[in-house]
Amino acid sequence: MKIFKQIALITGFCLAGECISFGLSKLIPGFFFPGSLIGMIILFILLYLKVIHFEWIAEVGTFFVDNMGFFFVPAAVSVMSYFDVIRPNLWKMLLLCMICFFTTFTAIALSVHLTLLIQEKIHEEKGHGHE
Amino acid sequence: MSNIFNSPLFYIFLTFGLYALFTYIYKKVKSPFCNPLLLTTICIILYLVITQFSVEQYTESLSMVGYFLSPLTVCLAIPVFNRIQIVKHYWLPIVVGTIVGASVSIGSVLLFGHLLGLDENIIMSLIPKSVTTPIALEVSEKLGGIKGITVSAVILTGILGALLGPLILKLLHIKRSPAVGMSLGGTSHAVGTSKAVEMSARAGAISSVAIVTSGIATVIIALFL
């Protein structure tokens, strides 16, 4: 019973998100924001406002988050159909993945580090001001 | 015999069985190469190559699984909700890391993709590669990418992060847990997060939040592509 209710509730949020997404795309032509993401944001807000209790989705929700990989096996296997497209581009694609990984990783690490340093500096100065 | 070993029931058995087995092995070994999605996929591809059975038949047998894409994304609200105290405390580093990460990631795929002379649909498939798979597939589909390539690139980037991430952090002398968590989660999603958890509990928590925030930021930037 519990599991059915939880699945129904979660899929309900997906549908609500899809409806809003559809409405938005009608209101603003060419605007596309995925319904699932809208559903996620609504769920988060309702959890935060305690309208929805975490227990209502706990088991199924945690199972989905923890075992997400399983649901992408078919999509990953479908890469087989594109071996012909990939083969001539394989090295370029791998190189691109490597380069972008390095730039993105370094950019995040340095920018967050810098933000923390600035925050600490401001905090310190405030601390001295009170003395 | 061939109608048993390429029946939907057999494919469902094979997929669940392999995934359960590799999850068990992953829990014992904890190496990013033992990622259950990666190993299950490789085994099934090998099976289909050896038997010469059609891929379409396999994907059709498991089409039901694909409908869970959207519920999975909705459930990503849970890891953020469970770490709300951390989000409130570190909101500024999280916002900065998210915006920088998503823009650098998309920007560098576009720039180096064109420099390397890759086809448009391959570049579009690679744009969301730093993002968690359900959101990456949404973005890839919207941009006209190939979902098989997107999933492979997402897995590859995840493994790169878990392997090389800690090394880069050491070279840069970055130890603060928000920087560790944001960089691992923001580039390498769940695979990076499992590494961040090993480094510190707080880095793991921030990394789980980074998965979701960088997903949202990537969707927003993709709106303008």
Side-chain angles (χ1 to χ4, degrees):
Chain A
M1 254 312 266
K2 198 159 75 177
I3 300 296
F4 288 122
K5 265 196 293 194
Q6 297 191 0
I7 294 178
L9 192 61
I10 291 168
T11 30
F13 276 101
C14 298
L15 283 173
E18 292 299 338
C19 292
I20 296 173
S21 169
F22 180 76
L24 282 175
S25 70
K26 287 285 159 218
L27 275 175
I28 316 160
F31 183 83
F32 172 78
F33 200 83
S36 54
L37 244 80
I38 298 177
M40 177 183 92
I41 294 165
I42 302 174
L43 175 62
F44 177 78
I45 294 172
L46 293 184
L47 279 170
Y48 186 71
L49 297 175
K50 299 202 166 63
V51 178
I52 297 274
H53 292 270
F54 177 56
E55 294 75 48
W56 297 355
I57 52 162
E59 282 81 7
V60 174
T62 325
F63 174 79
F64 276 174
V65 173
D66 291 345
N67 300 290
M68 209 162 250
F70 173 79
F71 297 89
F72 305 110
V73 174
V77 170
S78 76
V79 79
M80 270 181 85
S81 320
Y82 299 97
F83 278 168
D84 293 336
V85 185
I86 296 171
R87 201 170 291 125
N89 294 308
L90 185 66
W91 288 110
K92 285 182 189 171
M93 287 165 69
L94 289 177
L95 187 66
L96 182 66
C97 285
M98 285 290 271
I99 298 172
C100 296
F101 165 73
F102 277 109
T103 53
T104 311
F105 193 94
T106 317
I108 299 180
L110 290 176
S111 65
V112 175
H113 188 72
L114 199 68
T115 312
L116 291 166
L117 287 183
I118 294 171
Q119 276 187 312
E120 276 160 27
K121 193 106 190 159
I122 292 171
H123 200 76
E124 247 171 49
E125 270 167 20
K126 261 190 195 162
H128 284 302
H130 287 299
E131 273 171 350
Chain B
M1 278 309 259
S2 79
N3 41 15
I4 293 178
F5 292 111
N6 63 1
S7 64
L9 190 62
F10 180 74
Y11 283 147
I12 291 167
F13 164 77
L14 191 69
T15 313
F16 274 93
L18 286 172
Y19 200 85
L21 173 72
F22 290 130
T23 307
Y24 175 78
I25 293 177
Y26 177 73
K27 284 199 173 129
K28 297 264 162 196
V29 185
K30 290 232 176 281
S31 150
F33 287 114
C34 289
N35 179 295
L37 168 59
L38 175 73
L39 295 183
T40 309
T41 306
I42 292 177
C43 286
I44 290 170
I45 290 183
L46 285 177
Y47 176 78
L48 293 174
V49 168
I50 293 167
T51 56
Q52 301 274 306
F53 291 144
S54 81
V55 195
E56 287 72 26
Q57 217 171 352
Y58 172 78
T59 45
E60 251 165 55
S61 306
L62 279 124
S63 56
M64 174 74 186
V65 170
Y67 296 130
F68 282 93
L69 186 87
S70 170
L72 286 171
T73 313
V74 168
C75 289
L76 286 173
I78 296 170
V80 183
F81 173 71
N82 285 339
R83 290 165 185 85
I84 193 76
Q85 292 310 324
I86 284 244
V87 176
K88 281 183 180 164
H89 192 257
Y90 289 110
W91 69 271
L92 186 64
I94 292 175
V95 169
V96 171
T98 301
I99 296 174
V100 169
S103 8
V104 171
S105 176
I106 294 180
S108 49
V109 174
L110 284 173
L111 175 69
F112 293 108
H114 285 117
L115 283 180
L116 287 165
L118 283 166
D119 290 339
E120 198 66 17
N121 59 348
I122 293 182
I123 296 177
M124 290 306 156
S125 317
L126 296 179
I127 279 185
K129 71 187 180 51
S130 282
V131 171
T132 185
T133 325
I135 300 179
L137 284 175
E138 293 266 15
V139 173
S140 168
E141 195 178 329
K142 190 240 160 193
L143 296 174
I146 299 161
K147 66 179 180 178
I149 296 181
T150 303
V151 180
S152 313
V154 168
I155 301 174
L156 178 67
T157 308
I159 294 171
L160 279 178
L163 287 179
L164 304 174
L167 207 71
I168 302 176
L169 290 168
K170 199 174 264 178
L171 286 174
L172 296 171
H173 297 291
I174 288 175
K175 286 196 193 85
R176 285 179 171 76
S177 49
V180 173
M182 281 310 291
S183 51
L184 282 167
T187 38
S188 297
H189 46 90
V191 188
T193 300
S194 53
K195 200 79 210 171
V197 172
E198 284 171 26
M199 297 173 79
S200 80
R202 201 194 294 157
I206 290 172
S207 187
S208 321
V209 174
I211 296 177
V212 183
T213 54
S214 63
I216 298 174
T218 304
V219 169
I220 293 173
I221 297 176
L223 282 177
F224 302 100
L225 292 179

